[in-house]
Amino acid sequence: MSQATGISPASVMRIWHAFGLKPHLEKTFKLSTDPLFVDKVHDIVGLYLNPPEKALVLCIDEKSQIQALNRTQPGLPLAPGKPVTRTHDYKRHGTTSLFAALDIATDEVIGRLKRRHRSTEFLSFLKEVDANVPEDMPVHLVMDNYATHKTDKVKAWLAAHPRYQVHFTPTSASWLNLVERFFSRR
């Protein structure tokens, strides 16, 4: 890495350590085969580093198959010297999907839980986002290439709402979408 970047091996190690990177422990890595990989990365990173003035940049994605669980009894309250308690058993309530839009400027999230994970729910979420952002502001959406983002109904809705400009992450590179950081903290 140091030869490829032109910096010292010690600098590479300091950077890896500062960001908790451990590439030597990775067993697999999927390289994007998207022919427009470089252009898409430049486009999205450019949005992150230099967002358009008076425009909103939202990173949108879904986290599906979240287990909906409730503990069978409430935990006991905290007390000095006593940690929080909870029961070991729980009741299952199926699964849910979290749809989220992260505003890169404020780190605020518009999030909704949906029972299913289809284009119908995604379109409903887009309408909820539209209702929660200023009407006169252009909106840039960073999304991955998931099929629900590209259905005819979604395309028609986006065409009817020209203030929305879509920026797709490269194939197999959804890690480029900052909303993934929000999901990883949950």
Side-chain angles (χ1 to χ4, degrees):
M1 177 63 81
S2 82
Q3 287 177 343
T5 59
I7 60 176
S8 73
S11 294
V12 170
M13 292 304 289
R14 277 195 302 275
I15 293 167
W16 285 356
H17 185 265
F19 290 97
L21 300 174
K22 299 177 182 178
H24 59 287
L25 296 180
E26 286 296 318
K27 302 266 190 254
T28 62
F29 181 78
K30 185 171 184 177
L31 190 60
S32 177
T33 57
D34 193 323
L36 299 174
F37 179 82
V38 172
D39 294 335
K40 289 179 179 180
V41 169
H42 279 265
D43 179 41
I44 292 170
V45 172
L47 275 175
Y48 294 161
L49 296 177
N50 190 20
E53 283 191 39
K54 298 182 182 174
L56 185 61
V57 179
L58 296 176
C59 298
I60 291 186
D61 204 0
E62 308 88 20
K63 185 170 188 167
S64 62
Q65 300 296 314
I66 300 170
Q67 295 260 354
L69 307 172
N70 272 350
R71 299 284 173 183
T72 56
Q73 295 179 5
L76 297 174
L78 289 171
K82 293 195 178 205
V84 68
T85 64
R86 66 182 88 166
T87 60
H88 70 283
D89 54 346
Y90 49 85
K91 183 176 180 186
R92 293 180 185 270
H93 297 282
T95 60
T96 189
S97 293
L98 171 61
F99 289 73
L102 172 72
D103 180 344
I104 68 159
T106 64
D107 213 24
E108 291 181 24
V109 174
I110 300 169
R112 299 292 184 271
L113 294 173
K114 304 283 185 181
R115 295 289 271 164
R116 299 187 67 185
H117 186 220
R118 304 171 303 175
S119 64
T120 303
E121 287 77 19
F122 181 66
L123 186 55
S124 168
F125 179 65
L126 281 179
K127 291 175 183 176
E128 292 176 47
V129 167
D130 191 49
N132 283 286
V133 298
E135 292 179 19
D136 59 340
M137 187 175 281
V139 181
H140 295 263
L141 301 177
V142 176
M143 301 188 298
D144 62 20
N145 290 286
Y146 193 57
T148 59
H149 300 165
K150 296 181 172 184
T151 64
D152 290 340
K153 287 182 180 180
V154 170
K155 287 178 184 176
W157 188 88
L158 289 167
H161 296 80
R163 73 182 183 128
Y164 287 88
Q165 183 176 345
V166 177
H167 305 264
F168 287 109
T169 61
T171 306
S172 301
S174 61
W175 48 265
L176 187 58
N177 194 335
L178 287 180
V179 76
E180 295 292 340
R181 292 180 57 222
F182 168 74
F183 290 143
S184 71
R185 292 184 293 205
R186 301 298 176 251

